[in-house]
Amino acid sequence: MSRRTQRAPATRTEILECVQQQCPACGKVMWNAYDNYHTVTGLEEVVQLRLKVRRCVNADCAPYHVPYRTDEEGRWALPHHEFGLDVVAQIGSWRYQEHRTVPEIHQRLVEQGVAISERSVTNQLARYDELVALSLRHSAHLRQRL
């Protein structure tokens, strides 16, 4: 279902540059092909991310025109999500440390000024559970290897 209310306007813009400037295959400089925009809603503010996407322009190169996105994007939010990792972590904390229900979590977020629906709170809680499960699985794998 689509959004029924308009998203809050971004309070600031962050420009994220691609760390990799040279093509990993041919070593030539990749050009800034285009910009992508991603709006992330956090606990404190709404940030518009301007992502500088680069591509190799060498026609003889294997990754010719393959887009290289910035690694920093993952520090803000999960791919294809509008809420920041701080919102996901806060929802998980309230649910599992304070044993709050989804309506209580929703109410607290709305009181803090975060425009979010109850269904989105449930979805973010599922993302939190997935991240914790992934972290625990990865941790066990590292313990076994060490």
Side-chain angles (χ1 to χ4, degrees), residues 47-105:
V47 180
Q48 183 181 39
L49 302 177
R50 182 176 170 193
L51 312 168
K52 302 282 191 175
V53 181
R54 295 184 172 270
R55 287 183 177 170
C56 182
V57 293
N58 181 6
D60 298 327
C61 188
Y64 173 65
H65 273 252
V66 173
Y68 286 91
R69 298 173 64 91
T70 177
D71 297 333
E72 237 184 307
E73 184 180 4
R75 186 173 63 99
W76 289 86
L78 294 171
H80 311 293
H81 284 79
E82 70 174 290
F83 295 102
L85 294 175
D86 58 343
V87 175
V88 176
Q90 185 65 67
I91 289 171
S93 171
W94 283 338
R95 176 71 179 116
Y96 296 115
Q97 290 179 353
E98 297 182 14
H99 306 288
R100 302 284 181 199
T101 63
V102 170
E104 289 174 336
I105 294 170

Side-chain angles (χ1 to χ4, degrees), residues 6 21-22 28 32 37 53 57 64 73 85 106 111 113 121:
Q6 191 173 12
Q21 302 283 323
Q22 283 82 22
K28 292 189 177 181
N32 184 20
Y37 294 90
V53 181
V57 293
Y64 173 65
E73 184 180 4
L85 294 175
H106 174 254
E111 287 171 0
V121 170

Side-chain angles (χ1 to χ4, degrees), residues 36-47:
N36 265 355
Y37 294 90
H38 186 181
T39 303
V40 178
T41 302
L43 291 172
E44 303 287 324
E45 61 186 346
V46 179
V47 180

